Amino acid sequence: MALQRGLESCRPPATRLFCDPFARELVSRRWRVALSAARLEPVRRLIEGVYDHIGGPGPRASAVARTRLIDDAILDALESVAQVVILGAGFDSRAHRLPGLGERAIFEVDHPATQATKRERLQRVKTPRPATVELVPVDFDRDDLVRALHGAGYADGSASLFLWEGVTNYLTDDAVDRTLGAIRSLSSPRSTLVFTYVDRAALQGAGDAFPEAARWLAAVSRRGEPWTFGLDPGSVGAYLADRGFQLTGDLSTEAAGERYFAPRGRREQASRLYHVVTATRI
Ligand SMILES: C[S@@+](CC[C@H](N)C(=O)[O-])C[C@H]1O[C@@H](n2cnc3c(N)ncnc32)[C@H](O)[C@@H]1O
């Protein structure tokens, strides 16, 4: 994701969906060199072209469209929240790059190993980092999220925004269930949840509906991170209601791409299998 955000940030301001000045410092050394070179338009086009050729159409455009869609969802909700919890934060730099987040309490939750790498790489960053971020080490498969966040200073009773981007697809049904339960118990009534899921039909091999799925699934499996969880878009409202949330929005990255790419004269096609959901606590 940091690589995709870094490439997108190399585009001219008139056509890019966002600018993430931290992404280049967060990728590995090899990709840092590539991203430096990608400031030259032909190099960026070449890297994107090779990536799309190998990964297939869909993943890169979806990553970029989902980033912008979530940026907008956060900025829409921010006025009413005092705390922001980014679950499975990875190399997300929103704490520092989105206006207004630095004035909130921010908690980034992730595997301790990912956090150690991020902490080390952020030391290279010269761009000012306006936010103070509390790093909370948690494994969603086995740790107690509620206890970990309370231990890090999370305050019950203040409205919060929970972001869980690009993570549910790597978890078990049980871990997703338990994490939603933890978010529910940590949320006060005006809290907002933003999360992503993949369409369950794509996991089950519905190749006609999702021609890009086979290559995408094979690529994540090769990296040792197979997708294990998905939802049926038609049942997301009921799924969330059963867990104490009201669905307020569900957009595929394909639809997000139509919203953001076309007005900038771009023709990338993002995938229909990836979804971004917004919900509030009931
Ligand atoms: C694809 S990355 C997404 C990162 C970030 N949210 C983004 O969209 O840029 C998935 C993230 O989920 C985290 N993750 C996956 N399984 C996890 C687990 N069981 N417990 C904690 N974090 C996990 C990984 O460490 C990684 O940071």
Side-chain angles (χ1 to χ4, degrees), residues 82-113:
Q83 304 178 109
V84 177
V85 181
I86 306 181
L87 300 159
F91 296 157
D92 184 335
S93 68
R94 287 189 178 91
H96 306 294
R97 73 176 174 82
L98 287 187
L101 259 74
E103 293 139 36
R104 269 85 185 164
I106 301 185
F107 303 88
E108 289 191 356
V109 178
D110 210 318
H111 267 309

Side-chain angles (χ1 to χ4, degrees), residues 25-29 32 91 116-125:
E25 302 300 339
L26 286 166
V27 296
S28 65
R29 196 180 148 79
R32 213 158 55 243
F91 296 157
T117 307
K118 186 175 192 176
R119 197 184 281 115
E120 183 210 309
R121 291 185 182 171
L122 276 177
Q123 281 169 5
R124 290 197 293 251
V125 171

Side-chain angles (χ1 to χ4, degrees), residues 10 24 31-44 47:
C10 292
R24 200 181 71 89
W31 285 116
R32 213 158 55 243
V33 173
L35 284 179
S36 295
R39 288 173 181 147
L40 298 169
E41 176 85 5
V43 177
R44 178 188 56 74
I47 297 173

Side-chain angles (χ1 to χ4, degrees), residues 47-61:
I47 297 173
E48 288 184 349
V50 171
Y51 190 96
D52 289 351
H53 181 70
I54 294 171
R60 185 184 57 78

